[in-house]
Amino acid sequence: MDGKVSKKKYYLMSAKIYRKRFATDCFADYFNDMALRTNIGLNDYREYLTECASVDELQAQNSYFINALYGLGGDG
C-alpha cells in the first residue's frame, strides 16, 4: 500500500486441489451420442426476425410469463 508495485506468483487453490480430479460435464458423452443421432441441429430452429421478439414470436413460445402478461392460460 506504499505505492510500489511488485510482481508475485499467485496459485489458485482450486487449480491445485481439483486439477484432473473430476469433470463437471459428467454426461458429456451421453449428450454427444444423442446429438449425433438426431436429424436436427441448432441452425434448424426458428429465430427472431429482428433483435427484438415481436408479440407473435413471444406468444409462439407459449411461455408462462408471456401468457400471464396477456391474460392467457388458466391463472389469469
Side-chain angles (χ1 to χ4, degrees), residues 2-73:
D2 59 0
K4 296 178 184 176
V5 177
S6 61
K7 290 194 171 206
K8 302 282 183 186
K9 286 188 175 184
Y10 180 79
Y11 298 96
L12 294 176
M13 292 303 294
S14 60
K16 289 170 65 176
I17 296 170
Y18 298 114
R19 186 168 182 260
K20 297 209 177 257
R21 297 286 174 100
F22 63 91
T24 57
D25 59 345
C26 60
F27 297 112
D29 285 343
Y30 168 77
F31 288 113
N32 287 335
D33 184 47
M34 296 300 289
L36 291 173
R37 294 179 189 199
T38 187
N39 296 327
I40 191 169
L42 287 176
N43 290 333
D44 298 317
Y45 285 98
R46 291 174 43 191
E47 60 184 36
Y48 299 145
L49 294 177
T50 64
E51 294 82 16
C52 186
S54 68
V55 172
D56 291 333
E57 289 170 331
L58 289 172
Q59 289 179 337
Q61 294 177 11
N62 197 26
S63 159
Y64 287 114
F65 176 70
I66 298 299
N67 289 346
L69 287 177
Y70 282 98
L72 304 173

